[in-house]
Amino acid sequence: MSLSELLEIEIDISETRKSSLKQSPSTISIITRQEIAKRKYLTLADTLMSIPGFDVQNTVIDRNVVTARGDLQNFYSNKVLLMINGIPSWQPTYGEGYLSRIDVNSIERIEIISGPSSVLYGTNAFIAVINVVLRNQTNNIEASFSSDINNSYRSSFLISESFNYLKFMVNFGTFHNRNNPIELKSANNPFYNGDSTFQFDNTYTQRKFTTTLSYKGHSLLLNNYENNFNYMGANHSYLSGGNNFVFDGGTLISYNSNHNLTNDLNFSSLLSYEFFKRDFALSADRYTAIELNSERVDSRLNLNYKPNDSWSFDLGANAEFNRSKEHNAINPALDIKIRENIPTNSNYYATSVFGQIQYSYSFLNLQAGSRYTYNSIFGDNISSRFTSNFNINSSNVIKLIYAEAFRTPSLLELYFDHPTVIGNQNLNPEKNYSYEFSYLTTQDELYFQLTAYYQSIDNLIKRFTPETGPPSE
């Protein structure tokens, strides 16, 4: 794909109506399907590692934790919003989205906003947004297998067809990685509960299934995934479950409608349901394990009115419900519950409205918007955004951006009750205030973007241990 073709791509992520890379009111990066194939990326995590300011890390209990702009995640990837075809995807227990649920062979392009975006997308669009746009080409059947020198293997099957206005795509993918075992010492010295060292196999397996169906302005999406990977144990020791597997799984189902009511007026709606489950051992013999599952329902309405080339108005509403169905310590052998870590059916709901106005004239593009959110746990929140684009000429653009974002505390941060860690129902949402300058220039086949930003975070949620000792809060 040439640079001129890249610059003409209509981006879905930056506003309710599509815009180009230069005209977008945000700092945008794009990874196309052609680039994924050229660089032979095996996973979505691999592709994000190529974006300046992004990193993907592993924690004690998780894989593929995305970080951006120097903001380290607290165990879980809940400050970067993941979306699939514009549909937010995250599970409420930890508040994170899973990169491993998408097969790279099903991706048409990846659109990335660097910076806060809560005005459009609400909670979790805290430091960045990743929108995975799925392939929509027709009459295509593909099967592929690839590997690399790091003992990683990927297989994929994809079929897409169209019949007049009806289109569908089906994709199934797998990924397996096994590095050489490493010897890990116990977290404590002297030995933790008599434990010394153990072999950590460092194995990771993914299985994912995605299908889409669209007819005129209506679309359905179904995504299902399963992950299995070794973890280091609750206390980095063999006796606390080290080298046992964590089993993750989840399903996302969504319906989306998008229609032009008139030449000037567009209306879209979204309804989605997401389910998540996880279990892992807390002991070497797996006689003590954690079993949890949670669910989320999300609904969104958006109205865009564009009376002429200069003005554009957006109005939207959002309602969501998040629930932990269970989070228990169990004895799998005896099928008994040992402890309830999060009370059954702990939940919260949130409703919000947002408005946005955009004005374009000659070399100038201005945008302003705000979102008001009411949450059943912490009450009210307002996030706002102001941007200005200066088109110096056809090759040079300057963007000035002020943006705010918030992140709702996860169900674990609110309700967890354990001898070592306890939640806090008095938590307020994390807040991000960001000031940004961005300069874009193109010359022939050269694209250059320089970005400087300053961000300030309030109400940072983190674990700490009181002077009196555990439990941590």
Side-chain angles (χ1 to χ4, degrees):
M1 178 179 291
S2 67
L3 178 60
S4 58
E5 290 174 326
L6 179 66
L7 295 176
E8 292 303 317
I9 291 178
E10 292 188 322
I11 303 168
D12 295 317
I13 192 175
S14 61
E15 49 189 321
T16 54
R17 286 206 177 187
K18 298 181 179 182
S19 62
S20 66
L21 191 65
K22 282 186 177 181
Q23 298 306 315
S24 164
S26 303
T27 300
I28 300 290
S29 301
I30 298 177
I31 303 175
T32 64
R33 180 164 59 89
Q34 291 82 359
E35 185 176 354
I36 292 173
K38 180 180 178 180
R39 297 178 179 268
K40 302 186 185 303
Y41 293 128
L42 296 183
T43 66
L44 178 55
D46 291 340
T47 67
L48 295 176
M49 294 282 283
S50 68
I51 300 298
F54 278 72
D55 195 9
V56 181
Q57 303 177 350
N58 297 333
T59 66
V60 176
I61 194 62
D62 238 332
R63 300 289 182 99
N64 296 335
V65 176
V66 185
T67 64
R69 294 197 163 185
D71 194 314
L72 296 177
Q73 307 274 24
N74 188 6
F75 292 97
Y76 306 105
S77 184
N78 51 25
K79 297 180 182 179
V80 175
L81 178 64
L82 174 66
M83 302 196 301
I84 306 172
N85 281 357
I87 302 159
S89 171
W90 53 273
Q91 51 88 0
T93 301
Y94 307 126
E96 63 181 333
Y98 287 94
L99 303 180
S100 55
R101 70 189 307 151
I102 300 296
D103 177 29
V104 291
N105 193 44
S106 68
I107 297 174
E108 179 64 27
R109 66 179 179 274
I110 305 166
E111 304 170 344
I112 301 164
I113 294 180
S114 296
S117 300
S118 284
V119 171
L120 276 183
Y121 299 113
T123 184
N124 291 24
F126 194 73
I127 52 176
V129 178
I130 302 165
N131 182 37
V132 178
V133 180
L134 299 175
R135 293 171 63 175
N136 194 31
Q137 64 190 103
T138 59
N139 305 318
N140 186 48
I141 299 177
E142 291 183 14
S144 63
F145 176 84
S146 52
S147 63
D148 64 16
I149 60 175
N150 297 317
N151 294 319
S152 296
Y153 308 92
R154 180 189 68 84
S155 63
S156 176
F157 173 79
L158 181 143
I159 180 172
S160 59
E161 290 288 348
S162 67
F163 305 94
N164 295 324
Y165 294 106
L166 182 66
K167 297 180 180 180
F168 76 90
M169 185 273 288
V170 177
N171 168 253
F172 176 76
T174 65
F175 173 80
H176 179 78
N177 172 258
R178 180 168 185 176
N179 292 317
N180 293 328
I182 56 177
E183 187 178 75
L184 294 180
K185 294 185 177 181
S186 177
N188 296 285
N189 191 13
F191 300 153
Y192 177 79
N193 287 347
D195 194 13
S196 55
T197 61
F198 67 96
Q199 294 293 319
F200 182 65
D201 289 336
N202 204 12
T203 300
Y204 190 18
T205 300
Q206 306 171 4
R207 289 178 292 273
K208 41 257 185 143
F209 171 82
T210 302
T211 183
T212 61
L213 178 68
S214 63
Y215 178 74
K216 294 185 177 181
H218 306 274
S219 60
L220 296 171
L221 179 143
L222 170 64
N223 172 263
N224 180 269
Y225 71 97
E226 292 182 355
N227 298 329
N228 301 329
F229 57 90
N230 302 92
Y231 88 115
M232 298 180 183
N235 295 287
H236 289 204
S237 66
Y238 180 73
L239 290 182
S240 66
N243 208 44
N244 272 305
F245 277 93
V246 175
F247 298 91
D248 279 348
T251 301
L252 171 66
I253 304 172
S254 73
Y255 165 75
N256 180 268
S257 174
N258 191 311
H259 295 280
N260 291 319
L261 303 181
T262 68
N263 291 334
D264 304 327
L265 191 63
N266 176 268
F267 175 76
S268 63
S269 62
L270 169 69
L271 179 63
S272 67
Y273 171 81
E274 188 160 4
F275 174 81
F276 170 75
K277 63 179 180 180
R278 165 176 284 186
D279 67 79
F280 57 95
L282 292 177
S283 61
D285 56 13
R286 291 191 62 89
Y287 277 14
T288 305
I290 294 294
E291 186 177 78
L292 66 98
N293 62 76
S294 57
E295 61 186 359
R296 187 174 72 90
V297 179
D298 188 11
S299 61
R300 297 172 184 251
L301 301 174
N302 291 310
L303 190 67
N304 174 267
Y305 176 57
K306 190 175 176 62
N308 51 53
D309 292 337
S310 296
W311 292 95
S312 179
F313 303 88
D314 294 296
L315 185 65
N318 171 218
E320 64 180 71
F321 176 77
N322 302 275
R323 179 174 68 144
S324 172
K325 301 179 72 173
E326 62 176 355
H327 191 308
N328 301 323
I330 63 170
N331 184 321
L334 301 178
D335 194 25
I336 59 174
K337 180 167 68 175
I338 300 173
R339 180 183 179 85
E340 191 175 66
N341 296 320
I342 295 180
T344 300
N345 292 326
S346 296
N347 65 80
Y348 69 85
Y349 68 88
T351 57
S352 62
V353 294
F354 80 90
Q356 189 167 259
I357 183 172
Q358 182 171 325
Y359 174 74
S360 301
Y361 179 76
S362 184
F363 65 91
L364 184 63
N365 188 332
L366 302 175
Q367 187 183 82
S370 290
R371 174 182 288 262
Y372 167 79
T373 300
Y374 175 79
N375 184 286
S376 60
I377 297 294
F378 60 76
D380 300 330
N381 177 78
I382 296 177
S383 294
S384 299
R385 173 183 174 88
F386 305 93
T387 71
S388 57
N389 287 18
F390 299 91
N391 301 302
I392 301 173
N393 52 44
S394 61
S395 301
N396 296 274
V397 178
I398 291 177
K399 299 182 182 182
L400 301 178
I401 303 170
Y402 170 76
E404 300 173 354
F406 72 100
R407 183 184 74 84
T408 300
S410 67
L411 291 170
L412 181 135
E413 292 165 336
L414 292 167
Y415 295 110
F416 200 65
D417 184 11
H418 190 269
T420 59
V421 180
I422 58 173
N424 182 357
Q425 296 184 41
N426 295 317
L427 290 173
N428 288 315
E430 293 182 322
K431 291 278 292 183
N432 186 1
Y433 305 89
S434 174
Y435 305 83
E436 189 170 330
F437 167 87
S438 184
Y439 169 66
L440 287 73
T441 184
T442 58
Q443 298 293 334
D444 297 325
E445 288 300 308
L446 174 66
Y447 173 82
F448 176 79
Q449 179 172 284
L450 173 67
T451 301
Y453 68 91
Y454 170 82
Q455 66 181 18
S456 174
I457 297 178
D458 289 348
N459 303 328
L460 181 65
I461 298 174
K462 59 182 180 179
R463 295 184 186 182
F464 74 96
T465 303
E467 295 181 358
T468 55
S472 298
E473 298 181 347

